[in-house]
Amino acid sequence: MRKHTKYFLLAIVTLSITSVSSQDRKNDTIKTGVIDVVKPYTPSISDAFKVKEIPSLDDEETATKKEIKYNIFSFPVASTFTPAKGKAAVVEKAKPVKLYDNYATLGVGTYTTILGEVYLNHAISRTESVGGYVSHHSSQGGIDGLSFDDNFSTTKINANYSSRLRDLAWNVEGGFLQKMYNWYGVPPSQLAQAQANGIEVDHSFYSAHFGGDITFEDTYINSGSFFFRRFGDNQGSGENRFVAKAKIDIPINDEEISTDFKFDYINGTFDRNYFTTDELRHGNFQIGVSPTYELKEDDLTLNLGISVSYLRDSESKENNIYLYPNITATYRLVNDVLIAYGGIQGELIQNSYHGFATENPFVSPTLVVMPTDQQYNAYIGLKGKLSSNMSYNISGRYLADRNKALFRNNEITLTNQNYAYGNSFGIVYDDVDTFGVAGEINVDVNRNFKLGIKAEYFKYTTDTETEAWNLPDIKGSLFLDYQINEHWFAGANLFYVGERKDQFFLNDGITISTPFIMDLDSYFDANAHLGYHINDKISVFAKANNINNEAYQRWQNFPVQSIQFLAGATFKFDF
């Protein structure tokens, strides 16, 4: 009975499940052909468990090893070597040279010569300083064979102030100059008449100037300067000159053109001209612009530019414009051993009474002053180093000057002027072409020995003048500086000037002859000095000038002093 009941219940349950499954299938919206898996299958591995058992080994090799004992038998070894103890080498250090900001020099010599100079410089702060100097050089003269005084003197006073800021530095300075010379070069043919007229041959010059300059950092305006000078003499002459300059970089299409600007004004008067009592005046102003473009390509540096000058003559009321080339180039053929260079340039040179009197102090106060038009100055050369301590420079040049100023001996007149006896010089102008070659060698054997040699040769071609008056055909120079040891030092300067030509007149008191050409002999001037440093502050020195004892004539009828000796001392100090 239980068995039948069991089968009956099983049949009822089976029918119930089948009925439910059929009903669910009818209501199911899931398609049986596609199954979407919502969660991926992520199998996992159960942890592994180490068998916690220690196996037992009965191998013979696991038997206990025998203990081995080592015995070392040491014995002493005889040795005679003893290492020397090291000693540090002593480096000899040169004692640092003490530099002083100020010094004073005083010397006396033959011909009653006095030489004195005081230079002062004081730092107010890290960015400001003031300074100045006073110098005096005079001689009472005494040249053999002269009938007039030949003494001279030069005195200079200067003061300056400078300041350096972050982006600029500027400086101002002013000074005074006084010179005195004599027109003592009266030729023998005019001596009696000059003495009879009781001429006064002294000629004094004075000058006062004021100027300043400024430089900028990281700006298109690089620098600027100005300068004013008043120059005159005891003969009623006077001259004013003002010069202003500026250097600016002008940007053009990502390039910079370096441009120089210049304004130059001059005005002067002389009480009379050489032949009459009419006043002689000169004056003009110049405006110059010089743009230059620099091009660098490997070993080549090329500067391309021009110079334009505008001239306004205040006396003739004339206006002129001058155009000059301004091209320079350098090319390194063999690094610093062989460098080729060349260029062609020109400029409008502003002549002045001050410049003429500085070059030749025996000029008369009756000069015609006008600018020189240097149409071009073409040059080419080679320079470099022959060794680490020897350099050289060889060059050739050709100049074309229009209205070049030439010093020429003044005519002898029948007037009573103190400078009218063939004992003064005037200025004549001519178109002069100059060809020149030059060679130079500089040797720096070491920091204690320096030597330089230079030689030049010139050939001149004039237009209207018979000769290129007082221009030498050959010039040479040698300088030597030698620091013998810590205390002794020496040096030498040698100069050679070739022949020059000048004109000369004869006057018998009634008529004046036609001028004839005078040949001025070449001359050689050797100078040397020797000194001794007593300590860092005091040193003594001795000088010898014109050692060959030749009373040569630098200018016609004006012999120089023969051999001269001078001794003195220099004192350095701070305050």
Side-chain angles (χ1 to χ4, degrees):
M1 185 67 181
R2 293 181 179 176
K3 183 176 180 182
H4 291 288
T5 301
K6 177 178 181 181
Y7 288 119
F8 178 75
L9 292 174
L10 179 62
I12 293 173
V13 171
T14 303
L15 290 174
S16 299
I17 294 173
T18 303
S19 177
V20 172
S21 298
S22 299
Q23 187 179 357
D24 292 338
R25 187 178 297 113
K26 292 179 180 180
N27 297 328
D28 191 6
T29 60
I30 297 176
K31 296 180 180 181
T32 60
V34 179
I35 299 176
D36 293 331
V37 178
V38 177
K39 182 178 180 181
Y41 176 69
T42 54
S44 60
I45 300 175
S46 62
D47 293 337
F49 299 96
K50 183 178 179 181
V51 178
K52 297 181 180 180
E53 292 184 4
I54 299 176
S56 58
L57 300 176
D58 296 332
D59 196 345
E60 295 180 355
E61 294 182 358
T62 60
T64 304
K65 295 181 180 181
K66 295 182 179 181
E67 182 181 358
I68 300 175
K69 295 182 179 181
Y70 297 92
N71 295 322
I72 298 175
F73 300 96
S74 61
F75 57 90
V77 178
S79 175
T80 58
F81 173 75
T82 303
K85 295 182 179 180
K87 184 177 182 181
V90 178
V91 179
E92 296 183 0
K93 295 183 179 180
K95 183 180 179 181
V97 178
K98 172 64 177 177
L99 300 178
Y100 296 91
D101 294 331
N102 315 279
Y103 74 86
T105 297
L106 178 63
V108 295
T110 56
Y111 293 95
T112 318
T113 299
I114 298 176
L115 175 65
E117 185 175 49
V118 176
Y119 177 86
L120 303 174
N121 185 68
H122 178 66
I124 301 175
S125 64
R126 295 181 59 185
T127 60
E128 296 176 290
S129 65
V130 294
Y133 68 86
V134 178
S135 66
H136 176 81
H137 182 204
S138 65
S139 173
Q140 297 305 309
I143 301 175
D144 295 337
L146 295 183
S147 300
F148 296 94
D149 293 336
D150 61 302
N151 58 309
F152 69 86
S153 68
T154 301
T155 301
K156 298 179 182 179
I157 301 175
N158 183 278
N160 64 79
Y161 170 83
S162 63
S163 175
R164 178 174 292 276
L165 305 178
R166 180 179 179 181
D167 298 324
L168 61 90
W170 59 279
N171 172 74
V172 293
E173 59 98 14
F176 177 81
L177 168 70
Q178 189 276 334
K179 288 186 176 182
M180 193 281 292
Y181 290 89
N182 287 280
W183 290 303
Y184 62 83
V186 179
S189 60
Q190 300 302 308
L191 185 58
Q193 185 176 354
Q195 290 177 330
N197 292 336
I199 66 172
E200 297 292 336
V201 296
D202 64 294
H203 190 196
S204 298
F205 305 98
Y206 65 86
S207 172
H209 72 273
F210 177 75
D213 60 78
I214 185 170
T215 57
F216 298 92
E217 297 289 341
D218 300 327
T219 63
Y220 289 119
I221 302 176
N222 293 329
S223 62
S225 65
F226 74 94
F227 181 83
F228 173 78
R229 177 193 292 117
R230 171 66 181 179
F231 181 75
D233 63 12
N234 62 346
Q235 304 293 319
S237 308
E239 181 181 76
N240 297 317
R241 187 176 183 184
F242 176 79
V243 180
K245 298 180 181 180
K247 187 172 184 178
I248 302 175
D249 291 333
I250 300 178
I252 300 177
N253 295 331
D254 297 330
E255 299 289 346
E256 291 186 356
I257 306 298
S258 178
T259 306
D260 292 327
F261 296 90
K262 180 180 179 181
F263 176 82
D264 194 338
Y265 168 82
I266 191 171
N267 179 271
T269 60
F270 298 99
D271 271 359
R272 54 168 294 160
N273 60 42
Y274 191 75
F275 296 100
T276 68
T277 58
D278 296 336
E279 186 182 55
L280 192 61
R281 304 178 63 90
H282 64 274
N284 66 70
F285 70 85
Q286 303 176 13
I287 299 176
V289 180
S290 301
T292 304
Y293 174 70
E294 184 181 68
L295 176 64
K296 289 187 176 181
E297 187 69 26
D298 296 332
D299 294 326
L300 175 66
T301 301
L302 181 64
N303 293 297
L304 302 174
I306 60 172
S307 296
V308 182
S309 295
Y310 167 77
L311 174 65
R312 167 68 176 181
D313 193 304
S314 305
E315 300 303 317
S316 64
K317 308 301 181 183
E318 294 182 355
N319 303 299
N320 291 286
I321 295 178
Y322 300 86
L323 183 64
Y324 303 103
N326 187 13
I327 302 172
T328 63
T330 60
Y331 184 73
R332 295 180 179 273
L333 299 173
V334 186
N335 294 330
D336 292 335
V337 177
L338 185 62
I339 302 173
Y341 66 93
I344 178 169
Q345 298 174 296
E347 63 175 321
L348 187 62
I349 302 174
Q350 183 75 285
N351 295 313
S352 65
Y353 181 35
H354 172 268
F356 291 146
T358 300
E359 185 176 355
N360 183 353
F362 308 114
V363 292
S364 63
T366 59
L367 304 180
V368 176
V369 180
M370 66 175 64
T372 295
D373 174 18
Q374 188 174 91
Q375 294 184 338
Y376 57 85
N377 176 5
Y379 60 92
I380 188 171
L382 292 173
K383 62 180 180 179
K385 291 185 176 181
L386 298 175
S387 64
S388 60
N389 55 11
M390 180 180 295
S391 62
Y392 67 93
N393 189 356
I394 302 173
S395 63
R397 67 179 59 244
Y398 189 82
L399 297 89
D401 293 318
R402 301 299 174 256
N403 291 327
K404 182 178 178 62
L406 303 172
F407 293 101
R408 189 181 68 180
N409 193 240
N410 277 327
E411 299 179 10
I412 299 174
T413 66
L414 301 179
T415 62
N416 292 328
Q417 298 300 319
N418 297 329
Y419 45 81
Y421 299 86
N423 58 335
S424 66
F425 294 84
I427 296 292
V428 294
Y429 294 87
D430 194 13
D431 297 343
V432 181
D433 294 338
T434 305
F435 169 76
V437 293
E440 181 179 0
I441 295 178
N442 292 288
V443 181
D444 294 337
V445 177
N446 51 48
R447 60 183 300 180
N448 298 325
F449 183 86
K450 295 182 179 181
L451 173 68
I453 302 174
K454 185 177 182 179
E456 298 174 278
Y457 169 77
F458 304 97
K459 184 176 178 57
Y460 310 97
T461 302
T462 59
D463 185 22
T464 59
E465 294 294 325
T466 307
E467 299 288 346
W469 307 115
N470 282 291
L471 294 180
D473 55 355
I474 297 176
K475 294 174 65 176
S477 63
L478 181 148
F479 76 89
L480 168 68
D481 284 322
Y482 182 35
Q483 184 70 40
I484 303 173
N485 55 35
E486 182 181 356
H487 295 284
W488 290 97
F489 62 93
N493 293 281
L494 291 81
F495 302 95
Y496 176 82
V497 177
E499 293 184 352
R500 290 93 57 224
K501 296 183 182 296
D502 205 339
Q503 71 173 14
F504 183 68
F505 293 83
L506 290 177
N507 181 8
D508 58 7
I510 301 175
T511 61
I512 302 175
S513 66
T514 303
F516 59 91
I517 297 176
M518 289 284 296
D519 290 329
L520 298 179
D521 294 335
S522 60
Y523 63 88
F524 177 77
D525 194 339
N527 312 290
H529 67 269
L530 179 67
Y532 182 80
H533 294 294
I534 298 176
N535 51 42
D536 290 342
K537 292 185 176 181
I538 302 175
S539 61
V540 294
F541 61 87
K543 295 183 178 180
N545 296 328
N546 198 5
I547 297 176
N548 53 331
N549 198 27
E550 179 184 359
Y552 59 84
Q553 295 184 16
R554 171 64 182 90
W555 304 101
Q556 184 180 214
N557 300 323
F558 286 85
V560 301
Q561 296 176 350
S562 299
I563 187 170
Q564 308 139 45
F565 296 99
L566 184 140
T570 299
F571 176 68
K572 303 175 184 178
F573 60 96
D574 286 331
F575 62 86

